[in-house]
Amino acid sequence: MAGTGVWDDEYDVVVAGSGAGAMTGALTAASHGLRTVVLEKTSLLGGTSAYAGAAVWLPGTRVQERAGIGDSTESARAYLRALLGEDADGRQEAFLATAPEVAEFLERDPAIEFEWRPFPDYYAVPGRMDAGRSFVPLDLPAERLGGLASLVRPPVDRDRTGRGHAGAALAQGRALIGRLLLALTNTGNATVRTGVRLRHLVVENGRVTGVEVDTADGPARIRAARGVLLAAGGFEGSGAMRAEHGVPGAAEWSMAPAGANTGDPIMAAVAAGAATELMDQAWWCPGVADENGRGCFTLGFRGGLVVDSAGRRFANESLPYDRMGREMAAAPERVPAYLVFDSRHADALPAISIPSLPRSAWVEAGSLDELAEKLGLPAAALAATVERFNGFARDGVDADFHRGEDPYDLFFAGRSEGVGPNPCLVPVDRPPYFAARLVLSDLGTKGGLRTDTEGRVLDGAGRPIAGLYAAGNTSASFSGRVYPGPGVPIGSAMVFAYRAARDMAE
Ligand code: FAD
């Protein structure tokens, strides 16, 4: 935090970060005629948002209406109320009321198009859409972005491993970032700068008036006449902050781009008097460990079973990933856990892993005993667990964890050879056997700066800090300790960044 001094540059709005929330906030501000700058710490735009499937959970919009799926703000309200309880600070209602407006505002731009995709909500409570209500951006041909395309972070496979191709079109999260970038550029009011890291906030007479940044040419001070929007991810990449706040998992198991989200904007705001909440929370997921011990976001289990270090199952493996992650975090013997499967899946892991993993990352054994020995698991316990599970597969009923009873489980079920009446219960009885090590990964932390309905950052007494806004994983999520459905991280980041920019424009 620093006081008055000479400015190197001046804008109406400074946005830190370049994920979906940051870009939506910048586009909203620039569309309202505000001179806006996006400051991105790395050399590439998009952060974790560029890696995402880019499901966007914005209920009750024209996109769902076009798809004729019967979604509505009312059913989403019932769903959120059942999951999150009373709307104590009004953010649930602000989210619901603004979601349709955000989709309409974005789709009014010729660069932005969405379509509904089936992906079930994550909880069986009133208001749930079994087929899902989230939507995705349409792919974006790279030539529409011209030279800007190389600024968008590559897909996670390529970014992490150098394997895979970026493709002729930007897809999923890259399409979302690319489309927002195109729209932002077309406003003529915005500047996008990479390699610029926000370090401190400038506070004058109790108001945030600008930022101090590091650039390749040294430190600089940038004035923000209307306000600063911090939408620069969480602190999942900081081992020190994770330890300080007791976030289960580890920085090296997290999915954020290496070195990107280390929490400095949160620290800068705290130094300016901001309050934080939910600091031990993340959007969790199981992660198959790669050759280097990094976690690869794993979802959609369609075979095998997961055991802890005592060789016991502990959950319905088909649970939505954040719920499975929370089950893993609940006991130390569940991290690492092991996905055990058989030769039915010898060619591909019976789950989706992002990035995809080479077979060399799995352990192979001719018998369950040998597998147990290789993994260091008690052999008798593993054999008993597999035998009981195979009985469930024959009967079609998982008497222990009810796998296959929820629409979400069935959404990912395959049709494996030898499967019985329940497609989610595939026997594990054909050697050779395989196992993949599962660590506790995350898609970002979700605790951070306390904000109000307008994305204004609050101080310890609950008062807005003038000129300071936050959205996305830099802020504490309005969804608390719950991950309601696919696209809530990005959808909520977009809504609160939109509301913040609108507030700055007023
Ligand atoms: P990010 O998108 O990570 O952006 C933060 C940016 O800020 C980064 O570029 C970072 O470099 C920059 N930054 C950090 N510090 C500074 C600083 N000091 N100064 C300037 N810049 C800084 N969520 C969904 O809603 N739907 C999905 O379909 C979905 N799929 C996913 C699939 C995968 C494989 C993964 C990994 C995640 C997925 N998620 C999804 C989760 C979602 O992508 C993230 O939680 C969300 O995008 C985080 O958005 P953010 O803006 O907070 O952070």
Side-chain angles (χ1 to χ4, degrees), residues 17 40-41 47-49 52-55 198 232-233 255 260-261 264 443 473 487 489-490:
E40 164 56 46
K41 163 178 156 180
T48 320
S49 305
L198 180 139
M255 288 300 297
N261 297 343
D264 15 329
L443 311 180
N473 293 343
I490 286 180

Side-chain angles (χ1 to χ4, degrees), residues 3-36:
T4 323
V6 181
W7 299 106
D8 297 291
D9 223 335
E10 189 173 334
Y11 295 89
D12 294 318
V13 175
V14 168
V15 178
S18 63
M23 298 298 279
T24 301
L27 174 60
T28 310
S31 300
H32 280 81
L34 301 181
R35 289 165 307 122
T36 302

